[in-house]
């Protein structure tokens, strides 16, 4: 018999809010976290705006020791550790460096890159003949699994500890990997999530590809425009999201607060066939991913009431909506409410799936649909498929039980997870 899996802790570091209370407030108010960045202008970027979480030195000292912070400049690992520790504490657990090793709890925390600024320092250090001055944490800060190495040591986790990496699908994939481990009885708890660095050395390649907007450098909060007729490319973002997954039996046993239940999901690839490429989705694989997620969750397409989409503010938004309508066999006013958290935080790359999963759980828990800001001019191809009232531009109070979250990433990889309001 498969274990039921629930969510008992949340943590988030987002451009428009650090911590669940601030992030929740930002979601309800439709607050953007996109700002201008002079260093992007100095590097002659076309897109000079982005979403970067605001973390003070005082905030850092609440999570890291002075020794850990010495020579530390990996923003992705910083964000991931803050979000992960917040989720851990939110679930009712303490962080104690002297605690017993916990073999029942594991960690799957994704990343695309890690410590690029630190890696740059290392390159210059080697080139200048100062290799002995690089410091003892260079490897830990620059390896992709640095975030899981830091977090597992801070929390004393003894089950599977790993970092996954699947471009924009990373966070949603990590969640489903942790879910399956608990479902199959290999762990009682799994801390899951993902993180992403920020800065010109992360975002430069996307600017070179011309997939980021260049039209809103003077009006940053208007730059991220998923599903809009005037969308002109995505706005880069960074941050982290984390969720503490737990078997229902374990959660009930200790009287834990339960945010929601994970019903199931699906991960697949389009194989860069049938129109799919390194940067474009295979529509048939996307639809199959959605349909299998529904099937694996034991529900019907009619039961999905809200969707938190991938929706990046590129030319592929209309195709994503078309794929949803075909996969669900629902359109017009019969289509679920749908939103894109990216309208407020930009595209947080590897962190997007986990931050948006946290946003999905918050909406489910507090019974509202967050607004799609900058979408007053709905794309005509989308409007032809879905009634505009299903794409709200203001916070909408709504009593619902099931929300779907999907991510579709570079490399033609897909993931979809189904969350349900908890009921024993």
């Amino acid at each position: 018999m498969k274990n039921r899996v629930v969510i008992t802790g949340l943590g988030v570091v987002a451009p428009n809010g650090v911590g669940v209370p601030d992030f929740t407030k930002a979601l309800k108010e439709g607050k953007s976290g996109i700002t201008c960045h002079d260093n992007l202008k100095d590097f002659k970027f076309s897109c000079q705006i982005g979403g970067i979480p605001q973390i003070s030195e005082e905030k850092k000292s609440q999570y890291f020791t002075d020794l850990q912070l010495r020579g530390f400049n990996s923003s992705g690992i910083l964000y991931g550790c803050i979000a992960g520790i917040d989720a851990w504490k939110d679930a009712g657990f303490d962080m104690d460096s002297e605690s017993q090793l916990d073999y029942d709890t594991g960690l799957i925390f994704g990343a695309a890159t890690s410590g690029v600024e630190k890696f740059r320092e290392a390159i210059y250090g080697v080139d200048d003949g100062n290799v002995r001055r690089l410091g003892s944490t260079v490897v830990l800060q620059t390896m992709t699994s640095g975030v899981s190495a830091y977090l597992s040591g801070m929390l004393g986790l003894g089950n599977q500890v790993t970092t996954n990496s699947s471009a924009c699908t990373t966070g949603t994939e990590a969640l489903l990997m942790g879910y399956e481990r608990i479902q199959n009885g290999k762990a009682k708890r799994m801390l899951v999530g993902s993180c992403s660095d920020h800065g010109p050395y992360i975002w430069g390649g996307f600017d070179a590809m011309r997939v980021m907007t260049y039209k809103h450098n003077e009006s940053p909060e208007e730059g991220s425009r998923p599903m809009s007729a005037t969308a002109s490319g995505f706005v880069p973002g960074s941050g982290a999201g984390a969720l503490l997954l737990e078997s229902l039996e374990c959660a009930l046993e200790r009287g834990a607060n339960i945010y929601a239940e994970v019903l199931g999901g699906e991960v697949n690839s389009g194989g860069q066939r049938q129109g799919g490429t390194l940067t474009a989705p295979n529509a048939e694989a996307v639809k199959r991913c959605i349909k299998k997620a529904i099937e694996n969750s034991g529900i019907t397409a009619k039961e999905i009431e809200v969707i938190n989409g991938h929706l990046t503010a590129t030319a592929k938004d209309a195709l994503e909506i078309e794929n949803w309508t075909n996969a669900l066999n629902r359109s017009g006013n019969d289509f679920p409410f749908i939103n894109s958290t990216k309208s407020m935080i930009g595209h947080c790359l590897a962190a997007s799936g986990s931050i948006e999963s946290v946003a999905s759980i918050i909406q489910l828990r507090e019974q509202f649909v967050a607004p799609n800001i900058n979408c007053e001019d709905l794309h005509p191809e989308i409007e032809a498929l879905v009634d505009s009232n299903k794409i709200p531009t203001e916070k909408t109070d709504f009593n619902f039980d099931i929300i779907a979250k999907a991510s579709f990433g570079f490399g033609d990889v897909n993931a979809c997870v189904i969350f349900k309001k908890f009921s024993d």
Side-chain angles (χ1 to χ4, degrees), residues 289-316:
C289 182
I290 296 168
K291 289 178 180 179
K292 290 295 290 183
I294 292 168
E295 179 185 326
N296 294 340
S297 299
I299 62 170
T300 66
K302 285 287 185 184
E303 294 178 82
I304 293 177
E305 297 161 281
V306 180
I307 298 166
N308 187 306
H310 187 59
L311 299 166
T312 58
T314 65
K316 298 301 178 183

Side-chain angles (χ1 to χ4, degrees), residues 31-52:
K31 176 185 174 184
S32 173
I34 308 302
T35 55
C36 294
H37 300 284
D38 289 339
N39 64 335
L40 300 182
K41 186 176 182 179
D42 293 341
F43 280 111
K44 295 182 171 54
F45 271 54
S46 297
C47 177
Q48 298 165 10
I49 61 176
I52 298 178

Side-chain angles (χ1 to χ4, degrees), residues 111-125:
T113 54
S114 185
V116 170
E117 286 290 343
K118 196 68 179 178
F119 192 62
R120 178 171 170 267
E121 278 182 21
I123 291 171
Y124 280 113

Side-chain angles (χ1 to χ4, degrees), residues 13 18-19 54-64 78 82 86:
V13 175
V18 176
Q54 299 303 302
I55 307 288
S56 66
E57 293 302 315
E58 181 184 2
K59 184 79 170 177
K60 293 179 188 178
S61 67
Q62 295 172 12
Y63 296 83
F64 296 85
L78 173 73
I82 292 174
D86 279 356

Side-chain angles (χ1 to χ4, degrees), residues 115-347:
V116 170
E117 286 290 343
K118 196 68 179 178
F119 192 62
R120 178 171 170 267
E121 278 182 21
I123 291 171
Y124 280 113
V126 172
D127 287 348
D128 293 341
N130 294 321
V131 66
R132 294 186 182 278
R133 296 184 183 179
L134 295 183
S136 60
T137 64
V138 167
V139 172
L140 192 56
Q141 288 190 60
T142 57
M143 64 186 191
T144 305
S145 58
V147 63
S148 56
Y150 267 94
L151 264 176
S152 63
M154 295 165 101
L155 302 177
L157 307 183
N159 204 282
Q160 179 183 1
V161 169
T162 193
T163 291
N164 68 307
S165 187
S166 293
C168 317
T169 304
T170 298
T172 310
E173 180 187 77
L175 193 157
L176 286 169
M177 291 169 72
Y179 160 79
E180 289 177 356
R181 191 158 182 84
I182 298 171
Q183 186 188 45
N184 292 322
K186 294 182 178 180
K188 290 183 178 179
R189 290 170 295 274
M190 293 294 293
L191 181 59
V192 300
S194 62
C195 60
S196 182
D197 286 352
H198 66 258
Y201 301 103
I202 298 291
W203 297 342
F206 297 105
D207 199 71
M209 290 173 67
R210 301 181 183 276
V211 293
M212 301 198 303
T213 182
Y214 61 90
K215 294 184 176 181
H216 298 275
N217 292 336
E218 305 303 320
S219 52
E221 294 185 359
E222 298 173 11
S224 187
R225 312 181 65 82
M227 296 183 284
S228 163
T230 50
S232 54
F234 74 77
V235 174
S238 59
L243 306 92
L244 199 287
L245 307 184
E246 196 164 353
S247 71
L248 175 60
E249 180 183 11
C250 185
L252 293 176
E253 211 171 73
R254 66 183 190 88
N257 170 49
I258 296 176
Y259 282 98
E261 182 170 3
V262 184
L263 291 185
E266 175 73 356
V267 177
N268 77 1
S269 168
Q272 297 166 49
R273 302 290 191 275
Q274 299 170 286
T277 68
L278 279 168
T279 58
N282 173 341
E284 292 305 312
V286 168
K287 289 181 280 190
R288 178 183 174 85
C289 182
I290 296 168
K291 289 178 180 179
K292 290 295 290 183
I294 292 168
E295 179 185 326
N296 294 340
S297 299
I299 62 170
T300 66
K302 285 287 185 184
E303 294 178 82
I304 293 177
E305 297 161 281
V306 180
I307 298 166
N308 187 306
H310 187 59
L311 299 166
T312 58
T314 65
K316 298 301 178 183
D317 284 4
L319 176 59
E320 180 177 335
I321 297 297
E322 181 182 353
N323 288 335
W324 279 107
T325 60
N326 289 334
L328 300 179
N329 194 26
R330 297 170 62 184
S331 60
N333 196 48
D334 183 46
F335 194 74
F337 282 105
I338 187 164
N339 61 15
S340 173
T341 309
K342 292 181 182 71
S343 66
M344 291 177 261
I345 64 174
H347 190 345

